[in-house]
Amino acid sequence: MEKNIIPFAENFLKSYTNEIILYGSTIGSVLEDEQAHKLRIKLKKLRYATELFSAYLQKKDTLTNTLKELQDILGKLHDIYVTKELHKVFLQSQKNKKLFTFTKQLEAENTKRKKKLKEAFFLKWKEFRKIAQQVD
């Protein structure tokens, strides 16, 4: 059975990795919030599949670690998006100027963090694509 699963695992991982790379190529240089969230889900599925088949394949540690790092970056970006949406709701119900100012300061900090996270994402994405080509 082990011999039968190896070609299946290799083909599945290669196919799904190519699907993710194709999806990632549609993102361009902007990385919108919804795209980032969808990509994070796809990367999570690939990471789980990679871990599932790791016993049958050559070491996939580098790929798995890169997937984890991409998921982490995209998770932080999603947290910033969710926080911004919560701030909108919060500000609609609050009239306190100090709270308003504090919330706006948090949003400004998150905007800076978002920019840095996107830069980190694109660097890590480039690394992922390179690793994915080597794994084939």
Side-chain angles (χ1 to χ4, degrees), residues 44-115:
K44 182 185 280 191
K45 289 178 183 178
L46 178 60
R47 191 186 104 217
Y48 290 163
T50 302
E51 290 173 350
L52 175 69
F53 295 129
S54 66
Y56 303 103
L57 302 172
Q58 294 177 355
K59 281 196 158 191
K60 303 284 186 192
D61 293 343
T62 305
L63 177 61
T64 302
N65 290 337
T66 302
L67 291 168
K68 286 179 184 177
E69 291 171 10
L70 279 168
Q71 280 181 259
D72 186 46
I73 292 167
L74 293 172
K76 290 175 182 177
L77 283 169
H78 186 66
D79 291 346
I80 290 170
Y81 168 75
V82 170
T83 301
K84 186 175 182 175
E85 295 301 308
L86 288 173
H87 285 171
K88 287 179 187 176
V89 172
F90 179 73
L91 290 175
Q92 288 175 355
S93 64
Q94 295 295 318
K95 304 297 181 211
N96 185 309
K97 288 184 180 183
K98 287 183 182 180
L99 288 173
F100 180 84
T101 302
F102 177 74
T103 303
K104 288 299 184 182
Q105 288 173 341
L106 283 175
E107 286 183 6
E109 289 174 22
N110 280 341
T111 299
K112 290 177 189 175
R113 282 184 57 224
K114 186 175 183 177
K115 182 180 179 193

